Amino acid sequence: MINFKDLGLVNSRELFAKAVKGGYAIPAYNFNNMEQLQAIIQACCESNSPVILQVSSGARKYANQTLLRYMAQGAVEYAKELTNGKGIPIVLHLDHGDTFELCKNCIEYGFSSVMIDGSHHSYEKNIELTRQVVEYAHKYDVTVEGELGVLAGVEDEVSAEEHTYTQPDEVQDFVSKTGVDSLAISIGTSHGAFKFKPGQDPKIRLDILAEIEKRLPGFPIVLHGSSSVPQDIVKIINQYGGKLKDAIGIGEDQLRLAAKSAVCKINIDSDGRLAMTAAIRKVFAEKPEEFDPRKYLGPARDMLKELMIHKNNNVLGSSGHAND
Ligand code: G3H
Ligand code: 13P
Ligand code: ZN
């Protein structure tokens, strides 16, 4: 058993309380490799923002969970190096945990926060599973994110055609019966780069968010599927041989409004994937003679970092809040 505190990590409790009060959201960025992690830490140190490092089941399979844990531990030291020893608050979070065993395993590995995503189960089963994880996690002061409502699109191996919006009438009951520290909700965001069909009004249901906030004043709310799919980045991908047709994301203005309310964690993965792909495609097209991975992964890392600084400054509003 490794306790996250011994690794220099923090759980999300205090960060969320400050974010809700301060009207901003903490960025939750997924990582699977070194370049992504470097970009996240560099961006968050430069913008003086707290950060949630997210590891999905897919990331664990791809990179190996032990390696990812040590990378996060290294990130704590790297952040200190970049900030004259001060560091920034770093949470290591399991994204979309689907079983009690997986959450338990991550907690034993030193994660400071886990998500138990029971949203595909019945309401009763979701409560039972989430409660079981909360009981275990809280023994070690690890914070837990639950989910109510189903996002459209693909979440790991599970996919849903339509959104099932979170019902505001259920949130108080769910939170009190499970004891979760934060709640992910479904209000029209979805995973991936194709969140809306052309011609659809690309709006999220901020009215449902307001209703949920009324039922749970000051309680930390989480938004998944919050990439904005920047069209300038999609354009670069397509200009250099990519084929992304009709990729549409969530408007930054809507996310900014959400971050000013009870939303205190915003999950972004796809935008980072797009940024890295754009940079790599550009190098491959312009310098076909290059074959040193540093020559294309370096620019990919730089583009990702630039994107994250922009998000922290202009979308989440988390910049400058590392030492709140
Ligand atoms: O919610 C999904 C995240 O973007 C992680 O994606 O399962 O492909 O690693 P992944
Ligand atoms: P995006 O696919 O919109 O980046 O969402 C990521 C996410 O919710 C990770 O849990
Ligand atoms: Zn998600």
Side-chain angles (χ1 to χ4, degrees):
M1 174 84 203
I2 299 145
N3 191 282
F4 70 86
K5 290 171 193 167
D6 296 331
L7 308 180
L9 298 163
V10 296
N11 67 24
S12 62
R13 193 170 293 119
E14 212 177 303
L15 297 187
F16 286 171
K18 288 174 182 168
V20 171
K21 251 197 189 156
Y24 61 93
I26 316 280
Y29 296 128
N30 291 69
F31 80 104
N32 297 262
N33 63 37
M34 185 188 74
E35 283 75 12
Q36 287 174 318
L37 187 59
Q38 287 175 317
I40 297 169
I41 297 301
Q42 290 171 9
C44 292
C45 284
E46 235 168 79
S47 55
N48 197 32
S49 168
V51 68
I52 298 172
L53 298 175
Q54 297 204 131
V55 171
S56 68
S57 298
R60 288 171 96 241
K61 275 185 216 147
Y62 176 78
N64 179 281
Q65 58 170 347
T66 308
L67 213 42
L68 289 174
R69 205 296 303 287
Y70 277 101
M71 284 168 77
Q73 195 176 342
V76 172
E77 300 309 317
Y78 181 41
K80 283 186 199 154
E81 221 176 278
L82 295 178
T83 55
N84 290 323
K86 273 201 315 237
I88 54 169
I90 300 177
V91 176
L92 179 60
H93 176 78
L94 169 67
D95 193 22
H96 294 284
D98 57 350
T99 63
F100 171 75
E101 287 69 30
L102 174 57
C103 293
K104 180 172 179 279
N105 189 256
C106 286
I107 292 166
E108 287 168 355
Y109 254 79
F111 280 56
S112 59
S113 174
V114 292
M115 174 189 194
I116 176 68
D117 182 356
S119 62
H120 300 283
H121 295 296
S122 69
Y123 182 67
E124 290 72 26
K125 172 84 184 145
N126 189 359
I127 288 179
E128 187 191 321
L129 179 62
T130 306
R131 188 172 173 72
Q132 189 189 10
V133 172
V134 169
E135 277 172 6
Y136 183 79
H138 282 183
K139 282 189 210 157
Y140 304 98
D141 205 20
V142 168
T143 38
V144 180
E145 173 184 325
E147 179 164 333
L148 254 190
V150 184
L151 273 62
V154 180
E155 290 184 353
D156 273 324
E157 274 95 43
V158 190
S159 77
E161 280 286 313
E162 301 281 340
H163 301 284
T164 306
Y165 295 122
T166 306
Q167 293 180 35
D169 283 341
E170 287 181 347
V171 295
Q172 273 172 319
D173 185 60
F174 185 82
V175 167
S176 69
K177 284 187 177 152
T178 58
V180 280
D181 301 283
S182 60
L183 183 67
I185 58 167
S186 171
I187 55 167
T189 63
S190 59
H191 293 101
F194 303 90
K195 301 185 192 295
F196 300 97
K197 303 227 160 60
Q200 258 183 346
D201 188 14
K203 286 263 167 20
I204 55 172
R205 295 288 303 271
L206 292 171
D207 56 321
I208 299 180
L209 173 62
E211 281 303 316
I212 291 170
E213 199 177 349
K214 262 192 225 158
R215 312 293 210 277
L216 293 172
F219 190 79
I221 299 297
V222 176
L223 279 191
H224 282 249
S226 296
S227 278
S228 294
V229 190
Q231 292 304 302
D232 52 335
I233 294 179
V234 173
K235 203 170 152 200
I236 297 173
I237 293 176
N238 289 338
Q239 183 185 341
Y240 292 106
K243 283 200 173 70
L244 291 183
K245 202 172 166 288
D246 302 328
I248 303 172
I250 311 291
E252 292 186 345
D253 48 337
Q254 293 179 72
L255 293 169
R256 188 73 205 95
L257 285 175
K260 282 185 177 158
S261 75
V263 170
C264 62
K265 172 176 180 268
I266 293 189
N267 287 12
I268 297 166
D269 187 7
S270 298
D271 282 355
R273 297 178 181 194
L274 292 168
M276 291 188 89
T277 301
I280 290 170
R281 279 197 174 278
K282 188 165 187 291
V283 174
F284 282 174
E286 288 179 348
K287 299 177 186 163
E289 70 287 358
E290 283 296 357
F291 63 93
D292 178 344
R294 293 172 295 188
K295 296 286 164 47
Y296 49 88
L297 293 177
R301 180 179 65 197
D302 294 345
M303 193 146 168
L304 185 55
K305 174 185 168 185
E306 196 187 311
L307 173 96
M308 287 168 175
I309 290 179
H310 164 74
K311 301 263 180 206
N312 293 354
N313 287 344
N314 306 310
V315 185
L316 295 111
S318 63
S319 296
H321 290 290
N323 314 104
D324 277 8

